[in-house]
Amino acid sequence: MELVVARIGRAHGIKGEVTVEVRTDEPELRLSPGAVLRTEPASAGPLTIEAGRVHSSRLLLRFAGVKDRTGAEALRNILLIADVDPAELPEEPDEYYDHQLMDLDVVLEDGTEIGRITEISHLPSQDLFIVERPDGSEVMIPFVEEIVAEIDLEEQRCVITPPPGLIDEREAVIDSARDEDSQDSKGFKGSGDDA
């Protein structure tokens, strides 16, 4: 089974290093020197990791055969793909691979059907489930502990406890500082001097 483990970013320096956007919780396992990764598009690979290091909180990789900045720039935005045994599970019990979460039914605690997970978007701050609703529309659910109450792989379902407005915009609570400011300023009369 295929697992996207990183996206190549811009070139770093002149010796063929690239920055990477890590998309795995196990970079030390998937992105270590000697790892051979397939690519998307496939014509760019496979790529063998020659060296890796962390610089300014960013992972830098160098691939076999890529010796200069021009070669590194040519790899920009390519996805790195590892082959993973489908039976393999993450080390932590509350971690999941994307393939385990795809197509799970998303329901509220009372069993109300919301839809099913069709995509997982990996953002810098958090991951998002893209959930297709029965009517064909989509809703984004942040994959955070406060909202995702339970992942049950045996039952193929994800139980959520969304805040008001996440699923149904009509339930949204609007709390604006601007409203408070306009309330405070009502009735204020001033002439610009204290006299």
Side-chain angles (χ1 to χ4, degrees), residues 96-141:
Y96 304 92
Y97 291 134
D98 287 3
H99 73 274
Q100 294 175 293
L101 302 170
M102 292 297 292
D103 293 321
L104 291 184
D105 293 323
V106 178
V107 298
L108 299 178
E109 285 184 308
D110 66 5
T112 303
E113 179 185 357
I114 301 301
R116 74 180 171 80
I117 299 172
T118 57
E119 184 181 339
I120 299 164
S121 180
H122 300 280
L123 303 176
S125 59
Q126 67 191 14
D127 295 336
L128 289 176
F129 292 154
I130 310 301
V131 177
E132 184 178 314
R133 301 174 98 170
D135 65 5
S137 65
E138 291 183 336
V139 63
M140 292 183 279
I141 309 290

Side-chain angles (χ1 to χ4, degrees), residues 22-153:
V22 177
R23 295 190 179 178
T24 176
D25 290 334
E26 302 167 319
E28 65 285 343
L29 176 65
R30 309 282 180 217
L31 300 171
S32 61
V36 178
L37 302 168
R38 288 187 295 109
T39 60
E40 178 60 44
S43 60
L47 294 173
T48 302
I49 297 175
E50 194 170 85
R53 66 186 178 103
V54 176
H55 174 72
S56 298
S57 301
R58 299 281 324 228
L59 179 61
L60 302 178
L61 295 179
R62 191 173 65 242
F63 298 100
V66 179
K67 300 296 181 199
D68 58 19
R69 186 174 185 86
T70 303
E73 266 308 320
L75 298 175
R76 192 172 193 159
N77 292 322
I78 290 175
L79 296 177
L80 298 175
I81 302 167
D83 286 316
V84 178
D85 180 350
E88 183 180 329
L89 299 175
E91 292 179 8
E92 298 295 321
D94 60 343
E95 291 181 357
Y96 304 92
Y97 291 134
D98 287 3
H99 73 274
Q100 294 175 293
L101 302 170
M102 292 297 292
D103 293 321
L104 291 184
D105 293 323
V106 178
V107 298
L108 299 178
E109 285 184 308
D110 66 5
T112 303
E113 179 185 357
I114 301 301
R116 74 180 171 80
I117 299 172
T118 57
E119 184 181 339
I120 299 164
S121 180
H122 300 280
L123 303 176
S125 59
Q126 67 191 14
D127 295 336
L128 289 176
F129 292 154
I130 310 301
V131 177
E132 184 178 314
R133 301 174 98 170
D135 65 5
S137 65
E138 291 183 336
V139 63
M140 292 183 279
I141 309 290
F143 187 19
V144 294
E145 192 175 327
E146 295 80 17
I147 296 173
V148 178
E150 177 186 2
I151 300 284
D152 187 336
L153 296 178

Side-chain angles (χ1 to χ4, degrees), residues 172-184:
V173 176
I174 299 173
D175 187 16
S176 172
R178 215 178 313 169
D179 294 339
E180 292 172 13
D181 290 345
S182 65
Q183 291 293 328
D184 291 344

